[in-house]
Amino acid sequence: MAREHEGLSPDRIRRSTRRPADTWDRIKFLILLGVVVVGVVGNTVNPPFVTLSEALADFFGSTLGRVLGALFVLEAVRQLHYLVSERVAAYHRFWQESVFGRFNRFAQTRFSPWTRFRVARFLRWGVYVVVYAYVADYFMDSVASPWEALVNAPRIIAGVVFSPVVLQGIAILLFVVMQFVAIFWFLSRGGTDIVMPEEIETRFSDVWGQDHVLRLIRENIAFLEKPDEIEKKGGYIPGGILLWGPPGTGKTLMAEAIAGETGRPFVFVEPGAFMNMFFGVGILKVKSLYRKLRKLSLRHGGVIVFFDEADALGSRGALTGLGMPGAAQPAAAAVAGFECNGFSYLSPQGREAVLATLGVEPASEEPPVRSWKDRIIMGAGMGGGGMGTLQALLTEMNGLTKPRGLMNKIRKILGLKPKPPPKYRILHIMATNMPNALDEALLRPGRIDRIYKVGYPSKDGRKATLEGYLAKVRHELTEEQIDRLATVTPYYSGAKIKDLVNEALIQAIRDGRDTITWDDVWKAKALKELGPPEDAEYIQRERHAVAIHEASHAVVAHLMRRHMAIDLVTIERHGDTGGMVKNLLSEDRFTQWKSEYETDIMVSLASLAGERMFFGDDNSSGVTGDLRSATAVAALMEGTWGMGDQLVSMAVGQTALGQQANPAAMALERRRDAIDARLRELYEKTWALLDEHRDQVLKLAAVLEERKTISGDDVTEILGIPPGERTMREAKGWLAVDDETAEERRLAALRSLSATDEVSPNGEEGARDQAEG
C-alpha cells in the first residue's frame, strides 16, 4: 500500500480510498436489528415451556426471522465492504468506477433524470408495500400470509385508522392544532383592501403637476394592457414601480390613477400590515396576500398591488448592524449627497481619498474577513415587519414560480409532470419618502424595474394644480394672479396647494362670501406659513423699534434682490419671532452665486445698521439671529463655497473623533479676520444704502405700525421704486448677465462652430447636422 501511494499527495491518497466511517455509523444498523430480534424473541421465551433455544429456532424459522437474519448478514457484508474500501485503493476504485460507475453511466445515457426519478420512486414505494405486508402478516392474527395482507389492505388500514384509540388521539391532536390555527388565522387577517375596477374613478387627468412622471408611467401600463407585444419579442413585463419623493406630492394618487386607467383590481397594503407581535404571522400575511393577488390576476388579466409607506417593510441591514449611527457608510450613499457628478470626475485614487476624509469606506470587491464573533446576530433587531417577513415578500415578488393546485399535486403523486404555472401579471407599486431605508434586494430589476422621483411640482405644475383645485370652487382670481400665486409658492406639494385653496375658501366663508378673492388667498397663505399671530401688543416705543428693524430689512431686500420678491412684511409676533420679512424666488433655480450671498448678508445686517442709524448708535438684542445668519453665510463663503481669497475647502476637515467637522466653525477658527473684513465691508455698503433711502425706511415703518402686516406689492407701492433697482443699476458678476445676453452668447458660439464645420473636410455634413440640431 505504501508503494501504491508513493508520490501521491495526501489529498490524492484520501480521494483514492473511501472516507473512514465512525464506529457508531458502522454498527448502528446492526445494533438496531439485534434489538429487534432480542425484543421479539424475549417476548416468546416462557421457561420451562418455551426455552431460549426453542424461541430462537421458532423465530428464525418464521418469515420475519429469516428476513431479519438476511438483513443482518447483508448489513455485516456491507460494513465489511466499506472497511476494505477504506483500506485498499484498488478495491475501492474497482467498485466505484467499474461497478457502480458503469451502472450510473448506463442509467444516465439510457434514461432521462425524470424517468430515473419516477423509477426510483416506484421501487421505493414497492419496498414500503412489501414491508407493510410482512409486518401485517406477523402482528395480525386474522392475516394468514403477506399476500392476504395486501388483498385486505383497505379493510386493515381502515380498521386501524378508525379504531377508538386512534380516533381519540386524532381528535386531541386536531383540537390542539386548531387552537393555533384559529389564533394565527385571526392574527393574519386585515391590513389589505381590495378595490375592484368598477369602484375606481381616479384617472390620470385627476393628477396635476406631475406630467413628466405620468409620461413615464404610461409606458409601463401600456405593457400591462398589451403584454404579448413585448413577451413575443423576448422581453418581460416590468413588475414593479417605486415612487419616491416628499410627502403630499401625489404618489398614492398616481397609483390609484394607474389602477383606474388599466381597469385592473387595486390592492392597497397598509404600512403596518406586516407588523405583528408574534414571529411568523407576517410571513402568513405575505403568503395570504399573494394567494389573493394570483387569483385576481388570473380572473382579471392582471392586478395592481400598492405598498404605501414602503419604508415600513424595513431592511435586512438592521439585522447585521448596517446603518448604525457612527458607522462608516457605503461609498454610494455618501456620494449621493454631493452634486457635480458624484465625484465621477476624479480618478479612483482621488475618489477614495475624498471618501476617506468623510469617514466613508471605499467599495471593495472582496468580502471582509470576519471572525466567529461577527457571525452572531444579536436580538432586538427585527427590521420592519419582523424576522422573515421581508424575505418572504422578496421571494413572492420574484422567486421560484412553482406549479400550484390540487390537480398538480395529484399528477406529481402519480409520477406525471405537473402543468406549467400560468403567467401571473402582478404590478407592484411602492411609495416612500425615505428610499434609502429600503432593502437593496427589493429594488433590483425583476422586482422593482422602474424608480421615479415624484418631487415638488415646477411653476407650470403648480399653476396646473392651482387651476385644477380652483375650478372646484367659485373664485375671482385672474390668470395673472394665478400665475403669480404659482410663482410665490415654491416647494408646495399638491396636498399643500389643495389645503391652501381650502383655507382661502374658509376665509371667504368667514366673511360671509362664497367666492374666493386674492386677499383670501394671500391671508390663507400667510396663515399656513406663519401660523396664527399671538394676541400680544407692543408698547409704543418697542413697536416703533420693531417696525424700523423690519423696514430696514425690507428696503435693502427690495433694492438689492433682482430674482427674489418680497412676499410679506409683518411685525406681528409668531412664536419666538417678533417680526419678519419673507422673500420668495421668482424663478425656479438650482444654484446660488457669490453676489446673491453677499446680498443675503446685506439684508441680514440691515437690521443692525437701521437700528444704529435711527437710535443713535444703539441697537437691541433682536439682531442676534441676523448676525448669526450673516456670520454663517460669510464663513461658508470663505471656507466651503470657494468665494474667498483662498482655495482650501473646510468641508474635508475632521474632528478628533474622526467625524466630519462643521466647515463653518473651522472657517471661523482659521479665517476669522477675513470673515470679519467681509462682514464689515458689506455692513458699510448696507449703511450707505439705508442712509440714501432714510425717508423710505421711515415711511415703510409707519405703515407697518399702522397695518402690522403688508404684502410685497404694498412695499413696492410705498417705496415707489421697482424691485432690484440698485442691482440693475450697478449689476456685476452673474447678475449682470440676463437671459438675452446668455442667448446671444449661445448663438454666437453656434455660428462660430458652423463656420468651423464649413472649412473642415466634412464641412457640408457638419453644417447640415448643425442646422438640423
Side-chain angles (χ1 to χ4, degrees), residues 363-383:
S364 175
E365 297 180 359
E366 298 182 359
V369 179
R370 298 184 178 182
S371 65
W372 66 272
K373 297 180 181 179
D374 298 326
R375 301 176 185 176
I376 300 176
I377 299 177
M378 302 302 293
M382 294 189 298

Side-chain angles (χ1 to χ4, degrees), residues 738-748:
D738 54 13
D739 293 342
E740 295 180 0
T741 304
E743 183 66 13
E744 289 177 0
R745 289 181 179 180
R746 187 183 70 87
L747 294 176

